[in-house]
Amino acid sequence: MRRRDDTITHAMEDYLKVIYSLQAETEVVTTQQIAERLNVQSPSVTNMIKRLAELNLVEHTPYRGVVLTPSGEKAALEVLRHHRLLELYLAEALGYSWDEVHEEADRLEHSISEELEARIDRALGYPTTDPHGHPIPSPEGEIKESADVNLGDLEVGEVAVVNRVCDRDPEKLRYLGALGLYPAAEVEVLERYPFDGPIRISLGGNEHILGRELAQSVHVTRSRR
């Protein structure tokens, strides 16, 4: 992966990373969505988007919203690589729990050098996923996204393996971790309650009831027994 462009500030990197994540979640990325994710005011987002567009990092057009350019995506993947490698290093080498690593990596991701990134990667055995199951971009800026579904979308009787878990809410991560809903865990849907209600699941020999919103934050890959 190329050396970081000094014209791209830490704040810009935060925006690019958020836009990349939102592009994977929704068809149109709006300035309001960016503002909510970054907890800033909409005028601040508008000003930053203009700056990013001037650097050819994003495009902003009516009805299409904000879209990363190839250069913007490459920059986003670079900071995302740093972030996810740091999360894994904090968890495996320093004993951080999976609900603690996200915020700590947010603080460190902008300062890590390419040499330190390479050493962490080598020390961890060249990993491909972070503690939450999200793919780590390669040094060349490539990423392998998996085709998964939300746990809440499974039908009764379906069995699946947890692929990745949304990492933005530490409290949710602590709760899901207490249930054992980590990547690679096998789960079966036993019951779906009506009127968009919760689901009842089997996990590790135990049964649990998950609200629909919480279930949507767990991404799984269907499997066959």
Side-chain angles (χ1 to χ4, degrees):
M1 189 173 290
R2 65 175 176 79
R3 295 187 65 83
R4 186 173 297 164
D5 188 340
D6 291 336
T7 63
I8 302 177
T9 66
H10 294 174
M12 289 177 179
E13 289 179 339
D14 287 338
Y15 273 80
L16 294 172
K17 186 175 69 171
V18 163
I19 294 169
Y20 180 87
S21 298
L22 287 170
Q23 284 185 169
E25 300 170 13
T26 183
E27 292 184 6
V28 178
V29 178
T30 67
T31 55
Q32 182 61 35
Q33 289 172 322
I34 298 171
E36 292 174 356
R37 187 65 60 89
L38 288 170
N39 194 27
V40 297
Q41 298 298 315
S42 294
S44 298
V45 176
T46 300
N47 291 335
M48 178 59 82
I49 294 303
K50 289 180 180 177
R51 293 172 62 190
L52 293 174
E54 290 171 356
L55 293 173
N56 192 35
L57 297 171
V58 303
E59 294 178 353
H60 187 202
T61 55
Y63 308 111
R64 288 189 59 208
V66 182
V67 180
L68 292 176
T69 64
S71 296
E73 180 173 316
K74 190 170 185 179
L77 288 173
E78 181 172 5
V79 69
L80 199 61
R81 172 174 168 79
H82 288 181
H83 179 94
R84 291 177 177 174
L85 277 173
L86 283 165
E87 284 191 334
L88 192 60
Y89 183 77
L90 290 167
E92 294 199 357
L94 302 181
Y96 279 70
S97 61
W98 79 331
D99 57 280
E100 297 175 319
V101 295
H102 183 74
E103 290 187 5
E104 198 67 52
D106 271 344
R107 288 188 283 267
L108 297 170
E109 65 191 19
H110 303 295
S111 304
I112 181 175
S113 68
E114 302 305 311
E115 174 62 24
L116 181 55
E117 172 205 306
R119 292 193 179 205
I120 290 175
D121 191 27
R122 184 166 59 250
L124 293 173
Y126 307 103
T128 57
T129 58
D130 72 8
H132 312 104
H134 297 108
I136 298 174
S138 72
E140 295 74 34
E142 300 173 348
I143 190 168
K144 185 178 181 180
E145 298 285 4
S146 59
D148 51 29
V149 297
N150 294 323
L151 175 57
D153 293 336
L154 296 183
E155 297 298 331
V156 174
E158 282 197 284
V159 178
V161 174
V162 177
N163 186 40
R164 56 190 174 93
V165 179
C166 181
D167 61 2
R168 292 193 301 273
D169 190 325
E171 188 173 350
K172 286 183 179 179
L173 283 172
R174 284 191 291 273
Y175 182 75
L176 293 171
L179 299 183
L181 275 167
Y182 291 103
E186 187 177 75
V187 59
E188 179 182 2
V189 176
L190 301 177
E191 185 177 4
R192 293 173 62 96
Y193 291 85
F195 307 111
D196 203 31
I199 62 173
R200 182 165 60 92
I201 64 171
S202 174
L203 173 68
N206 298 310
E207 294 185 10
H208 306 283
I209 294 178
L210 292 183
R212 189 57 56 87
E213 181 182 353
L214 188 59
Q216 295 287 4
S217 68
V218 180
H219 299 258
V220 301
T221 300
R222 289 184 171 94
S223 61
R224 296 179 179 177
R225 284 184 169 174

